[in-house]
Amino acid sequence: MSIVVTGATGHLGKFVVEGLLEKVPAEQITAVVRSEEKAAGFAARGVKIAVADYNAPETFDGVFAAGDKVLLISSSEVGADRAGQHKVVIDAAKAAGVSLLAYTSAPGSLTAALADDHRSTEEVLLASGLPYALLRNGWYHENYTEQLAPVLEYNAVTHAAGEGRVSSASRADYAAAAVAVLTGEGHEGKTYELGGDTAWSFAEYAAELSEQTGKEIANNPVPVDAYVGILTGAGLPEPFAAILAGVDASVEKGELVVPSGDLSRLIGRPTTPLSESIAAALKA
């Protein structure tokens, strides 16, 4: 029996594998990757490596075995047929008879276009009859803290979220929740709405950045259409810019406030404060 993690060398997957290595023997972990070279570090520590691609169904033949627990980390190819990519993994897991498939989804409250692929994947997973757990991950601190260059260049946090709030948490927090589900019992058929303990506004984010940098960082809310124009002007493709602006519109409506407390309960500790992730990003 293995615990199998897809997308294991991605931003979230790396944290999950590291967390699993603290809980179970390396030989019980299988990292599914597109590039064996990127997984060399895990292989050197005894993790099994399987090379497979969401876009090539045949590559998943033999990756799963009966009784495996699987974490399907959602595809990062926004704009692709992500639900179709995920179905490849679900079909292979069903054929193998895995004991649990956990999927990293989006909050149930999120209506932005970004959530459409997640809802479609959830429908496929539930229809498959597989034992499942839905990990509806909220927004990540890193969605903001890894994009600080333009903020610090222009001394402004520009967004289309108005006075909306975000219950974000760190990638490490969400990874720890996945590890808890994969290594624990009694998670079959459960849906977890995951978000940080404390929701924050962009005005508060700008104030925290001001305090930590010693610079005056302005809070700069703009209309959604204007934000799309700013993002495309910065070089983003228009469809992707529209998706990001759509998320901000959802933030303004309160759709990324996740008050369930599921995340801190699963990981057994408070979630990482945004201020800590800002400090880490500024040091990097």
Side-chain angles (χ1 to χ4, degrees):
M1 189 275 286
S2 278
I3 297 175
V4 186
V5 180
T6 72
T9 54
H11 290 308
L12 180 63
K14 288 185 289 190
F15 280 109
V16 173
V17 175
E18 289 291 351
L20 287 172
L21 283 166
E22 296 177 5
K23 299 274 189 179
V24 300
E27 60 268 20
Q28 290 182 17
I29 305 167
T30 298
V32 181
V33 299
R34 285 192 292 186
S35 166
E36 192 167 8
E37 184 180 354
K38 287 185 179 179
F42 287 146
R45 294 161 69 183
V47 174
K48 297 175 184 175
I49 307 299
V51 179
D53 190 321
Y54 294 151
N55 296 306
E58 68 281 0
T59 61
F60 278 91
D61 292 347
V63 168
F64 307 125
D68 283 350
K69 290 184 177 179
V70 177
L71 177 65
L72 169 53
I73 294 180
S74 57
S75 166
S76 60
E77 296 179 41
V78 176
D81 177 18
R82 295 201 295 168
Q85 292 175 328
H86 301 155
K87 187 175 184 299
V88 166
V89 179
I90 292 167
D91 287 347
K94 181 177 175 65
V98 305
S99 63
L100 180 73
L101 190 144
Y103 171 64
T104 61
S105 191
S109 54
L110 185 63
T111 63
L114 188 70
D116 291 348
D117 291 336
H118 293 298
R119 301 292 161 252
S120 297
T121 300
E122 289 185 6
E123 290 174 6
V124 171
L125 179 53
L126 267 61
S128 74
L130 278 170
Y132 70 89
L134 297 180
L135 307 179
R136 288 180 170 170
N137 287 357
W139 227 222
Y140 296 16
H141 291 335
E142 290 87 351
N143 291 345
Y144 303 104
T145 60
E146 289 181 351
Q147 310 298 328
L148 286 180
V151 172
L152 299 179
E153 179 180 353
Y154 296 105
N155 294 325
V157 175
T158 299
H159 60 91
E163 297 179 5
R165 305 182 77 81
V166 182
S167 300
S168 64
S170 70
R171 282 200 190 103
D173 292 338
Y174 292 110
V179 169
V181 168
L182 293 167
T183 59
E185 300 297 333
H187 299 289
E188 295 82 358
K190 298 289 182 65
T191 296
Y192 296 107
E193 298 286 350
L194 304 177
D197 295 336
T198 304
W200 51 267
S201 69
F202 283 85
E204 291 166 345
Y205 177 50
E208 182 64 33
L209 282 169
S210 298
E211 182 173 335
Q212 292 203 28
T213 61
K215 301 168 69 175
E216 185 59 41
I217 307 294
N219 173 41
N220 182 35
V222 299
V224 169
D225 289 348
Y227 192 46
V228 172
I230 290 168
L231 294 174
T232 54
L236 290 185
E238 198 278 334
F240 187 47
I243 287 172
L244 293 181
V247 170
D248 273 19
S250 286
V251 169
E252 185 169 28
K253 292 185 283 188
E255 295 178 1
L256 276 173
V257 173
V258 183
S260 68
D262 285 352
L263 181 52
S264 56
R265 278 194 296 273
L266 275 175
I267 65 180
R269 58 170 173 79
T271 60
T272 304
L274 176 63
S275 58
E276 285 189 18
S277 291
I278 290 173
L282 290 173
K283 288 177 184 174

